[in-house]
């Protein structure tokens, strides 16, 4: 406080000297004095509080992957607009960047660090244990020990695990695809064979089988066998060229509807389908008619994983002091996952009766009447 007052006095003295130098010379009886003590502030100025910082570490798909990184980031953008927080992100170019980016945000003093993707699980756990006062949220990772039967629950007080039963929504997409296909063949593939990818493929496969059971059809699924847990994978989430090649392979085998579960890789499939004609894609994570609008005319539907809502909720809890570590599971029932209603021109391919069936099927999944795991 004293230093600030002295600084103000010094500036005023210098200003007075400068003005005197520009005016008439002072007479011997004139004195240049500091302002009276009453002119100094009597209390420190109000300092605006530092805004809450929400910081996202992306997976290798990048912040604008039009998929899970972008959807999680939308949660932070919504919090910026509605809650007045500051948002930052660091993009991981390779897996070795995960720990380094987390550490950079720790040094920055972020209030909540959001890590996005199954592959960030180990580095997030290590950082959370080393920094118990730092809040984290991780998308697509459950710290439970699945090597035991039943799995052993593992949680950290400072980490919220944001997981999603995307098999429920993908089941609906598979059912819809089976009701629309003209060739009787549909396909799917993944980026990496990890649980958060294969859960989509499981649901899609079993949704097709459920349609076959209900309607007495024999639509086949290329690219994934949930019993053997074997199928098609590009090995990455970045290469649209790989997505194009995988899409062409499935189309050449007769698939006229394809669900790529591979982040930006799937956009390569969409491009190939658009060029081929009479082939349609199912988006994942976000509504592709919005996030990849250039392909909207061939997007049958999208399996929605509402990570933005879960991330926003985590920020809200951190702000109001109700944040608690542990598992969040997004479902059809709580709105954590869903399916996009087809829009023009795709809505012409989905009859009102089929859309009603899909909606009724969602209710049956929520009630437990229908299992999405083939049971």
């Amino acid at each position: 406080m004293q230093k600030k007052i002295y600084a103000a006095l010094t500036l005023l003295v210098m200003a007075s000297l400068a003005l005197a130098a520009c005016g008439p010379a002072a007479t011997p009886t004139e004195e240049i004095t500091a302002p009276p003590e009453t002119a100094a502030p009597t209390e420190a100025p109000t300092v605006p509080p530092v805004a809450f910082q929400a910081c996202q570490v992306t997976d290798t798909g990048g912040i604008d992957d039009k998929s899970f990184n972008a959807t999680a980031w939308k949660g932070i953008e919504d919090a910026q607009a509605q809650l007045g927080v500051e948002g930052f992100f660091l993009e991981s170019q390779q897996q070795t960047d995960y720990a380094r980016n987390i550490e950079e945000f720790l040094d920055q003093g972020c209030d909540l660090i959001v890590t996005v993707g199954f592959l960030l699980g180990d580095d997030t756990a290590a950082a959370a244990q080393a920094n118990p006062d730092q809040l984290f949220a991780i998308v697509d990772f459950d710290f439970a020990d699945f090597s035991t039967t039943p799995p052993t629950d593992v949680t950290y007080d400072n980490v919220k695990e944001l997981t999603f039963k995307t098999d429920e929504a993908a089941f609906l997409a598979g059912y819809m695809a089976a009701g629309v296909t003209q060739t009787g063949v549909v396909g799917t593939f993944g980026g990496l064979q990890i649980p958060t990818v294969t859960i989509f493929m499981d649901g899609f496969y079993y949704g097709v089988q459920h349609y076959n059971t209900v309607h007495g059809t024999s639509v086949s699924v290329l690219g994934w066998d949930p019993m053997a847990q074997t199928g098609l994978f590009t090995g990455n989430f970045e290469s649209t060229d790989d997505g194009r090649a995988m899409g062409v392979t499935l189309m050449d085998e007769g698939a006229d509807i394809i669900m790529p579960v591979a982040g930006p890789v799937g956009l390569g499939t969409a491009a190939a389908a658009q060029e081929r004609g009479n082939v349609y894609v199912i988006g994942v994570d976000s509504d592709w008619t919005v996030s990849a609008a250039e392909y909207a005319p061939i997007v049958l539907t999208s399996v929605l994983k509402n990570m933005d809502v879960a991330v926003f909720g985590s920020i809200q809890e951190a702000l109001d002091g109700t944040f608690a570590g542990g598992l969040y599971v997004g479902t059809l029932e709580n709105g954590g996952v869903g399916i996009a209603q087809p829009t023009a021109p795709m809505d012409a391919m989905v009859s009102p009766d089929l859309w009603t069936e899909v909606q009724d099927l969602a209710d049956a999944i929520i009630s437990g009447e229908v299992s999405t795991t083939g049971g």
Side-chain angles (χ1 to χ4, degrees), residues 130-197:
N131 301 274
D133 294 330
Q134 171 67 54
L135 299 184
F136 293 88
I138 181 168
V139 174
D140 275 350
F141 198 89
D142 179 354
F143 290 116
D145 181 359
F146 293 96
S147 66
T148 64
T149 304
T152 303
D153 189 32
V154 177
T155 60
Y156 301 101
D157 291 340
N158 58 331
V159 187
K160 185 171 289 293
E161 305 151 62
L162 307 178
T163 65
F164 303 85
K165 287 188 64 63
T166 45
D167 57 313
E168 294 184 346
F171 190 96
L172 301 179
Y175 190 94
M176 183 188 295
V180 169
T181 178
Q182 297 298 303
T183 63
V185 181
V186 299
T188 185
F189 71 88
L192 294 175
Q193 189 166 351
I194 55 179
T196 50
V197 169

Side-chain angles (χ1 to χ4, degrees), residues 16 19 29 63 117 138 188 200 242-243 254 269 272 278 286 290 362 369 372:
S16 299
L19 289 172
T29 58
I63 198 70
I138 181 168
T188 185
F200 279 90
D242 288 347
T269 305
N278 297 317
S286 61
V290 177
E369 179 183 346
T372 61

